[in-house]
Structures are given as structure tokens and as C-alpha cells.
Amino acid sequence: MTTLIINIHQLFNTREVTILLRGVALAQIPSIENAFLLIEDGVIVNYGHMYELELKIPQLPKHVIDAKGQTVMPSWCDSHTHIVFAKTRESEFLDKIKGMSYADIAANGGGILNSVAELNSATEDELFNSAWQRLEDMSKLGTGAIEIKSGYGLTVESELKMLRVIKKLKERSSLSIKSTFLGAHTYPIIFKEDHQGYIDSIINDMLPVIAREKLADYIDVFCETGFFSPQEMETVCKAGLSYGLKPKLHVNQLHSIGGIQSAINLNALSVDHLEIMKDIDIKLLSKSNTIATLLPTAAFFLRMLYQPARQLIDAGCAIALATDYNPGSSPSGNMNFVIALSCIQMKMLPEEAINAATINGAYAMEVQDELGSITIGKKANLIFTKAIPSLAYMPYSFGSNLIEKVMINGMFI
Ligand code: NIG
Ligand code: FE
């Protein structure tokens, strides 16, 4: 089917070719005022100024949409989530209100282990249905591509159960989905005193099956004091790499313990969280190809320091933004709020935040050839906004829903 969209008030993030954005380039969003966009079988095939329409599209297709007043932009690329989980964790939310920290809750057997216990007793269908609902809700908020992690299983059976749910989501959803194996999220209770035993199980029992059944695109480790050390992360990632799984890693959420250096040595695609960064971490990252994925809603929800976005950007690091949607530290999949927080609390410019949430987010899950910008040949995964006076109005009017319609593969959802 061919669809022509005309009279687009502003068409944002039009790029003939794309590169991973850093520095001043991150603050530029190429756009066309009063634009048209042509879609064929779900793919962008042409775009331009309305005054070029006759020249570029001499024969108008039957299906024409008038987007008068609307702004159109690429959908959000949310490159870090944990949306497969069995139960929400409001009781820990209350504990935090009453003064407990995220680390205290984890040390008392809550946190990730709470979700692990719940997931173990949930069926694959229950997990699929609740994750499907979250995906639907997120797509209505403008998300068109998403990465989803395992990590609430921590046994061979349950990690495979999670990854099979993600595989089914990939097969049935029209969103673009990448899958990450996070067996090294924490140590399960039976391996509390035997870290090497659990690492051996990840390497010898889980990874071969995951590779055989093609259940994951990436490997992740929670590198943190009380969780996995940088050395343990390296061991797990090297095993993952031997099966072709590139690392996308949780580092520097609570402490700076050398995770950044190890991640760069492993040529990680991304390092995610980064609440606690030393100058040396920022310097190392700025000289690497590893993407810094910031998760401000996790800092917001846990009342922690926000990621030092300005220092990272000014040092030349490539930045992506993601929701970290999970039941413990960020129970929200709203990329619009992530963008607003990034501008309000981390002093990112609206253009920087939107690039980090679209094209750089696409790079952080290697879908940059099909998503993340208005580029000929890319998927028509698009956000149609209500009438907005400027791009800055989106983060400025935080909390209001400015999305009128969302298109996935050329079809309105
Ligand atoms: O990215 N910090 C590690 N993992 C998740 C939280 C997991 C949980 O609390 O359930 C995160 O914040
Ligand atoms: Fe996470």
C-alpha cells in the first residue's frame, strides 16, 4: 500500500544518511517545514517540501492523509527495558517512601530477587500477556523499537522461559524488538556463597541453549558492588561474545568500580545507567565507540543523582536515552517523560534529548539502518503530535500527552 502524508507542519529528523551523534552534532535536528512524506509498504520512500510535491510525486496515490497542523517525527527507540516480569513491586515503593534505600531492599532479599521469586511461579502465557500489554501501552506513547532483557529467572529453566517470551513478542509484535540475556543480574540465593558456581552455570548451562535456539541478540551483566565485579562481568561477557552476543551492560548505577574500563575493553555496544561517574570514566568513554545510555527515570524513581549528561556530552560521548522500564527502579515505559526529565534535570537541550531517544537509541540496539530517523528506506514508525509550537514544547509541557497518533510500519495503531 502507498500512503502520502501532506501538509506536515514540521517533519523532524530528516537525514539522508545517519551517523552515531556526539558533541555539537547531537544538538542538531534537521527538519522540513510544511512537508510531505511518502510511504510504500511500510517504508519511507520519499519526503520533501510541499512545494516540491508535484515535481517529486507527479501521480498522487489514492491514499492521502492531510496532517495539517501536526508535527511528524521518528518514533522513540527505547534501547533498555525489562518489561517481562510477573508482578509489580509497590510494597518496596512504600518501603522507600519510609526511608529504605534500593540497596537496603536488595540486601534484605527484596528487589531483583523478589521479581525472581514471582517470575519462577508465572507461566509463559501469563508473562507474555502482561508484557504484551506493556508493549501496547508503550507503542501508544510513541515507542517504535525496544530492547527487552531477561534477568528475573536466574535458573536455566526460568531464564529460557523469559527469553522464549521475548522471542514470541518479537514474532507477534509489529514493533522492532531486540533481546538481551541478563542471566548475570544478581546471584540467586542458592549460589549466594558460590559465585563461580553460578557463573559456570551461565556459561555451561544457559549460553549454549540460548545460542542454539537463537534466543538473544546481546548479553548484559549488572556490574555493581554486591552484584558482579568487573572481572566477573568480563568472564561472562567473553563467554557471550564467543556465541556472537555483544555486551550491553549495567554499570555505574550505585558505584564506580571499574566497570566502564572493562566494558570498553570488551567493546561493549553500550554502558547503561551511569549515575555515578568519575572523571576518568567520562574520559575513557569519550574516546570509545561504546554508547552511554542514560536512564533518568531510574534516578528519579530511586531519588538518586541524575546521570551527568552535560559532562558526558561536552566530553564527546555518544548518548542514548532509555526508560529502563522494570518493576523495581523504573516502573514506567514513557519515553516522553524520559525526554522531559533529561531536559529539566540533566540540562540536555531538547534537540539532544530527542536525538538520543531516536537515532542514537537505534544505534544502541543496532537498528539504525531501519529506524531512528526520517530516511529513505527506513521503516515508517512515526509519531504524529498534536499542534505544537516548537520542538522544545514537548519536554517543556512535561506530563501532557502531545501524541495524537502513532504509525508502525506505515499503519496507524
Ligand atoms: O536497571 N539495576 C539493575 N537492574 C534494574 C533494576 C532491576 C529491579 O530492581 O528489578 C535496573 O535498574
Ligand atoms: Fe536496567
Side-chain angles (χ1 to χ4, degrees):
M1 186 169 90
T2 304
T3 304
L4 175 66
I5 305 163
I6 56 167
N7 296 325
I8 300 168
H9 174 54
Q10 302 245 40
L11 182 62
F12 277 117
N13 232 339
T14 51
R15 297 177 185 273
E16 272 175 41
V17 284
T18 58
I19 52 161
L20 177 62
L21 300 172
R22 8 174 133 237
V24 288
L26 189 67
Q28 313 294 324
I29 294 207
S31 68
I32 300 176
E33 224 164 286
N34 199 18
F36 76 87
L37 180 69
L38 186 70
I39 299 163
E40 232 170 69
D41 298 327
V43 172
I44 297 167
V45 291
N46 213 334
Y47 63 84
H49 290 276
M50 277 304 285
Y51 63 72
E52 303 171 296
L53 183 64
E54 247 184 66
L55 187 76
K56 286 193 167 175
I57 322 281
Q59 181 121 34
L60 297 191
K62 267 199 227 124
H63 192 220
V64 178
I65 296 169
D66 190 342
K68 206 164 178 51
Q70 292 176 322
T71 289
V72 175
M73 58 175 75
S75 59
W76 311 132
C77 295
D78 188 351
S79 63
H80 181 137
T81 82
H82 312 244
I83 63 162
V84 177
F85 57 86
K87 288 246 165 76
T88 52
R89 303 207 316 246
E90 304 89 287
S91 66
E92 292 177 7
F93 172 60
L94 296 178
D95 290 339
K96 274 177 266 176
I97 290 174
K98 291 176 192 156
M100 274 174 92
S101 72
Y102 184 63
D104 294 337
I105 290 168
N108 287 346
I112 297 168
L113 288 177
N114 178 349
S115 287
V116 169
E118 296 291 354
L119 189 128
N120 275 308
S121 51
T123 66
E124 221 173 284
D125 280 348
E126 286 165 346
L127 292 172
F128 175 83
N129 291 337
S130 60
W132 180 264
Q133 191 54 51
R134 288 176 199 118
L135 263 189
E136 295 261 293
D137 293 344
M138 292 170 85
S139 63
K140 289 183 194 130
L141 293 167
T143 296
I146 178 173
E147 179 259 19
I148 310 173
K149 300 172 194 296
S150 70
Y152 291 129
L154 311 186
T155 62
V156 182
E157 197 186 85
S158 289
E159 280 298 308
L160 292 175
K161 178 166 74 174
M162 281 190 89
L163 290 168
R164 287 180 186 131
V165 168
I166 302 172
K167 190 175 183 184
K168 213 191 260 178
L169 293 168
K170 275 190 187 187
E171 288 161 358
R172 303 213 183 152
S173 172
S174 51
L175 302 199
S176 294
I177 300 178
K178 290 285 180 135
S179 165
T180 299
F181 170 51
L182 175 55
H185 200 181
T186 188
Y187 287 98
I189 294 160
I190 54 160
F191 286 106
K192 205 171 169 218
E193 306 305 329
D194 179 16
H195 286 193
Q196 194 53 46
Y198 185 56
I199 292 173
D200 289 344
S201 174
I202 289 176
I203 295 174
N204 302 323
D205 307 330
M206 300 184 195
L207 273 171
V209 190
I210 291 165
R212 194 173 345 109
E213 294 188 27
K214 296 194 177 23
L215 291 174
D217 302 297
Y218 303 108
I219 187 153
D220 192 350
V221 176
F222 185 23
C223 180
E224 185 53 65
T225 308
F227 294 81
F228 290 77
S229 69
Q231 293 70 31
E232 290 168 338
M233 174 170 83
E234 283 186 34
T235 307
V236 172
C237 288
K238 281 183 181 154
L241 277 164
S242 75
Y243 290 104
L245 306 182
K246 271 192 209 166
K248 267 175 79 64
L249 302 164
H250 281 78
V251 299
N252 292 49
Q253 183 182 11
L254 309 172
H255 302 92
S256 170
I257 54 169
I260 298 278
Q261 176 72 76
S262 298
I264 293 170
N265 293 345
L266 290 160
N267 204 14
L269 177 61
S270 68
V271 281
D272 304 21
H273 269 293
L274 315 187
E275 282 85 336
I276 308 297
M277 294 288 277
K278 291 182 182 155
D279 289 347
I280 180 70
D281 294 324
I282 297 179
K283 198 167 165 199
L284 288 167
L285 208 47
S286 71
K287 297 196 179 349
S288 78
N289 294 321
T290 298
I291 299 169
T293 300
L294 312 183
L295 312 169
T297 46
F300 168 75
F301 189 75
L302 298 180
R303 297 183 193 89
M304 289 181 48
L305 283 178
Y306 285 92
Q307 293 83 4
R310 273 281 38 104
Q311 281 116 290
L312 288 160
I313 295 170
D314 296 343
C317 301
I319 305 288
L321 288 169
T323 62
D324 195 19
Y325 192 175
N326 76 77
S329 67
S330 181
S332 160
N334 189 342
M335 281 294 280
N336 307 283
F337 185 55
V338 168
I339 290 163
L341 266 187
S342 306
C343 298
I344 298 163
Q345 294 290 350
M346 306 200 297
K347 298 195 173 160
M348 286 177 73
L349 295 169
E351 290 83 0
E352 291 173 332
I354 288 169
N355 275 325
T358 54
I359 186 63
N360 276 14
Y363 274 93
M365 49 182 155
E366 296 180 301
V367 294
Q368 69 274 7
D369 293 336
E370 46 186 285
L371 288 156
S373 62
I374 305 295
T375 302
I376 291 175
K378 286 198 182 182
K379 288 186 181 180
N381 286 15
L382 308 169
I383 290 171
F384 289 65
T385 71
K386 294 175 185 163
I388 54 169
S390 65
L391 197 67
Y393 187 77
M394 291 191 86
Y396 162 82
S397 57
F398 76 96
S400 340
N401 184 6
L402 298 174
I403 296 181
E404 194 143 87
K405 283 190 280 186
V406 173
M407 186 178 259
I408 301 288
N409 298 327
M411 310 287 274
F412 286 118
I413 58 164

